[in-house]
Amino acid sequence: MDLGLTDRVYVLTGASRGLGYATAQCLVADGARVVLSARRPDEVAAATADLGGPDRAVGITADLADPATPGRLVEAAHRHFGRLDGALVSVGGPTPGSAASVDDEQWRQAFETVFLGSVRMVRTVAAALPDGGAIALVLSTSARGPVPGLGISNGLRPGLAGVAKDVADEYGPRGVRVVGLLPGRILTDRNRELFAANGDPEQARAEAEAGIPLRRIGDPAEFGRVAAFVLSPAASYLTGSTIPVDGGALRGL
């Protein structure tokens, strides 16, 4: 299938590694160009170089908690590549811990970045997109059911899924699509850290895999391919949905 990504331009946040980077790889492999952002300059530089340098990828050091970040990324896409066709909004996972055990400051920091930062990004990008543009939010299976030990994510991700649906309704008449993606257990640095926090990473991984019908942890590229499709013109009648990429782990219909 031709996804129609050739020369289309996307901005991706939190994309120097993990799911954001995996998506950038898939987009670039199909002919798209990307503007990446993340908080660490060295990681941003390495990611953009690996993706082919300035002809294919441009990197911006930025934090979604900064209200200026969305505008900077939209401007960078137009300045470097002359257009903008969509965005992947990805934010690093918030501090682990139950909802009752994390303190007020941890809640505030996560809200500023994970929730409000994502909302600002969606709002800014959606307003700048033409007919046919698309936004995908990287959420979590916690949007549909709480994940033990991830209280902040359990609190914030369902709200973002609601925002995605609301924005999809608002911008749909303009031909702009918005979709939520719900990754389950994917072998990113974040999940490696969560496994290690249990004291026995191999046992923790085995227990996680036992609860997944496919009996394995996903590879970031498996998420990236889904995200690239969702953002592409090939998914032109897909909006307002939340799509699990979890090996069948969610049990709801």
Side-chain angles (χ1 to χ4, degrees), residues 123 125-133 168-177:
R123 187 172 59 208
V125 171
L129 287 178
D131 185 351
D169 291 344
E170 181 165 353
Y171 287 97
R174 280 186 39 216
V176 172
R177 302 182 296 107

Side-chain angles (χ1 to χ4, degrees), residues 142-166:
S142 63
R144 294 211 184 152
V147 178
L150 296 180
I152 294 178
S153 182
N154 295 336
L156 298 183
R157 302 294 192 186
L160 281 173
V163 168
K165 184 69 171 175
D166 184 87

Side-chain angles (χ1 to χ4, degrees), residues 88-107:
L88 182 85
V89 184
S90 179
V91 186
T95 304
S98 68
S101 68
V102 293
D103 61 33
D104 286 2
E105 185 56 30
Q106 290 169 317
W107 275 105

Side-chain angles (χ1 to χ4, degrees), residues 24-47:
Q25 287 180 304
C26 292
L27 290 169
V28 169
D30 255 51
R33 293 172 289 180
V34 296
V35 176
L36 308 182
S37 77
R39 290 179 294 180
R40 295 182 176 87
D42 55 336
E43 293 183 0
V44 171

Side-chain angles (χ1 to χ4, degrees), residues 162-200:
V163 168
K165 184 69 171 175
D166 184 87
V167 176
D169 291 344
E170 181 165 353
Y171 287 97
R174 280 186 39 216
V176 172
R177 302 182 296 107
V178 183
V179 175
L181 299 173
L182 310 183
R185 289 291 196 175
I186 310 288
L187 197 56
T188 60
D189 291 342
R190 165 74 167 174
N191 269 302
R192 290 188 181 93
E193 291 166 1
L194 293 174
F195 289 145
N198 286 314
D200 187 341

